[in-house]
Amino acid sequence: MKDLHKLVLGLMVGAMAISFSAFTNAKTTTRLTTYYYNAGEQPWSSTGGLPADQNSSHYSTVSGSPSCDQSTNICTYNLVGGKFEQATEGTIDN
């Protein structure tokens, strides 16, 4: 009987852990679309931060998985909280 109580308790704890984890966000940044910069290249910042140009008409969406050539520029951007942020380093290979 004692083993049955331990089994039931273990199953209840497991079920609670699964139910709580179903409501926990694994990612804090949601990226729906990848963007690239139309007006030219912007330098990559090793400290992150926002690109100088935040004019949304200067950015276009990238379809599929973009290919980035190696360089010290920003290749792709994410739109997070209404601001464009650098996502990958390089130069987009169109």
Side-chain angles (χ1 to χ4, degrees), residues 9-90:
L9 181 62
L11 290 174
M12 286 177 53
V13 169
M16 287 176 54
I18 291 171
S19 65
F20 284 127
S21 67
F23 297 104
T24 304
N25 291 337
K27 268 183 145 177
T28 57
T29 301
T30 303
R31 182 178 63 122
L32 300 176
T33 308
T34 302
Y35 294 85
Y36 71 93
Y37 186 57
N38 297 328
E41 297 176 336
Q42 298 187 78
W44 178 265
S45 171
S46 60
T47 59
L50 304 175
D53 189 351
Q54 289 292 318
N55 185 337
S56 61
S57 67
H58 295 163
Y59 293 84
S60 295
T61 58
V62 178
S63 60
S65 296
S67 175
C68 300
D69 295 331
Q70 187 174 3
S71 79
T72 58
N73 298 312
I74 305 171
C75 181
T76 61
Y77 302 80
N78 291 331
L79 186 59
V80 180
K83 300 282 186 183
F84 288 96
E85 295 182 356
Q86 61 186 33
T88 57
E89 187 174 4

